[in-house]
Amino acid sequence: MNIFNKLKRQKQVQENTQSQLTLEDVLAPTETEVDFNHLKIDGRFFRTYFVSDYPRFVEPNWLEPLISFDHSLLISMFIYPSQSRGVLDELKHKVAEMEATIQTDLERGRAIDPAVEVALEDAKTLQEQLVRGVERFFQFALYISIPASSLEELQNTSKLVESTLASLSITAKQTTLQMEDGFKSCLPQGQDLLNLNHNMDTTSLATTFPFTSSELTANEGIMYGINEHNDSLILFDRFSLENYNSVIFAKAGAGKSYLVKLEALRSLMFGTEIIIIDPEQEFLPLCQAVGGEFINFSASSPVKINPFDMSADVVPGENELGRKILSLTGFLKIVLGALNAQEAAVLDRALKQTYLLKGITDDPNTQNRQPPLMEDLYKVLIGIEEGPAMELAARLERFIKGSLTGIFSAQSNIDLSNSFTVFSVRDLPDQLRPLAIHMILDYVWTKIRGRLKKRLLIVDEAWYLMRNQDSADFLVDIAKRARKYYLGLTTVTQDIEDFLGSERGKEIISNSSIQILLKQAPASIDLLAKVFDLSEGEQRLLMSEGIGEGIFFAGSTHVAMKVVASPSEHQLITTNPKEILARQGR
């Protein structure tokens, strides 16, 4: 019984002791050792420096090498305003002393000390600015604590910090015998226990602001990559800009498709509908993985698109039939070749008559009827029985009865209801790809205008369209009007000369709030430098970067970027043949 009571009392004492613990007791280190030139807290080592001398001239962001140092540092700044009157009195006294020193040297025939001359010049300039109220005066203290897991690491890191500061013409000294006060001064407590200050005017003080490196980190959006300036994340929402378009330029194998797939996948997870024009069938694995719809467009494919389709939705202030005829005219110029004035007039008249035969007029109530086919236009041209009309019918015949029958000879049977849709034109001959891409874009653009929804339209290998004036005009028209329909247009190309060699290509760039430049060939860099106003350093960067690295422009900000994907994302989007064969076990 006595043993039981004794154990009970011991338990009560233990509970009372635990209940008396404060937050300080919990957070306080179990062991602290203060040495001559370092501090040891629970097995971790710390060394603190104070800055004793600064460079004579400084520029904005001059502390960036310290902020971006490749090791964790504790940096603390203390700023104390000073009364101008007291500073002016002290400056007056110092100026008099230095002038007397110079005068004495002159009288004795000695060379004037250059350091005194420079100091006198600076003092007089500061005195004048203080009198005019241009500048104010401050006391500034800068402390740096280096954490390390071992004494060896602390020594090596200290040498690197000292050399980094020396490269900035900064003299830093250890807080010898005051390591504890130095460490506490670097904690987020707002206590300057060292009080080792330096005089600084307003302009110089403003340049010490440490966070002026470019960043593209927002509270919403998707991750595009890593900011190579400071290792921060590039998180961005393209739909927050004045328009939602982007352009991507890169040489073959630089990672442009990798980046586009990554953006499409991450945007899809945030509810954005994705539509892709895929010339090389690169998006098939990703489309299958996300349950998308892959449409392989070819002459023998059961998938059909009727270029005469209309949106069947009334848009206030727009002539739907007139807009469609203009769009069709541009498309048919690619199909039929160059048209003279007479042929263009006949074609316009024939298109109106073709729609009229189906009962479709300028009246919006008639525009939801079944649209005509290309064969109907062919018959109308034959029926006109004029020389230009017969010529146009002859050019069109191969698409109606000849070798290219089946490309647009039936009503559309595509439903754009899937949130991830890919149109592939890989199985078409090269000469027909621009025609098919233009037709698909026109169909997609017509359907997009009928229903407002957050969408991305990705046009890979956009140089196909830029080679033809009418296709380029159509792509520019989409870029200019996409924002109205909550659409972000992404144009991707590796043939930079074809894209930037025309004014239409430059218009697409000027109407794209985001521009991404990945690794470039030396032959293209001069043209890109002219269009994007690249510095020599940025030009060298783009020629020497690795795969998936480049420059990300968003609005007025641009940063060096490295594209990064998770292992799961990488498996879905990589096109590296070695990795694909290894995954297939070959």
Side-chain angles (χ1 to χ4, degrees), residues 16 24 26 105 160 224 332 339 366 442 475 517 573:
N16 292 334
E24 289 81 359
V26 176
D105 290 339
L160 290 174
Y224 283 88
L332 289 169
L339 304 178
T366 66
D442 184 60
L475 194 60
L517 307 180
I573 63 181

Side-chain angles (χ1 to χ4, degrees), residues 352-368:
K352 288 184 178 179
Q353 191 173 342
T354 302
Y355 275 104
L356 185 59
L357 289 175
K358 294 295 183 178
I360 299 175
T361 66
D362 290 334
D363 183 1
N365 295 322
T366 66
Q367 294 172 5
N368 58 358

Side-chain angles (χ1 to χ4, degrees), residues 316-327:
E318 288 194 15
N319 182 355
E320 177 69 12
L321 180 59
R323 188 207 65 82
K324 189 62 187 181
I325 288 177
L326 284 175
S327 174

Side-chain angles (χ1 to χ4, degrees), residues 162-236:
E162 289 175 8
S163 24
T164 300
L165 293 173
S167 68
L168 300 174
S169 300
I170 295 175
T171 303
K173 298 180 180 179
Q174 299 179 19
T175 56
T176 307
L177 297 177
Q178 287 184 286
M179 282 295 162
E180 184 177 355
D181 289 341
F183 175 75
K184 290 180 178 178
S185 297
C186 288
L187 293 178
Q189 297 177 339
Q191 292 182 339
D192 182 4
L193 303 179
L194 296 172
N195 201 29
L196 298 170
N197 305 320
H198 191 277
N199 297 331
M200 198 166 287
D201 58 47
T202 308
T203 302
S204 302
L205 183 64
T207 63
T208 63
F209 186 75
F211 307 113
T212 56
S213 59
S214 295
E215 287 194 7
L216 279 171
T217 300
N219 293 328
E220 55 186 14
I222 65 169
M223 176 182 165
Y224 283 88
I226 302 294
N227 184 340
E228 293 193 295
H229 295 301
N230 52 26
D231 291 332
S232 63
L233 300 180
I234 300 178
L235 297 173
F236 203 73

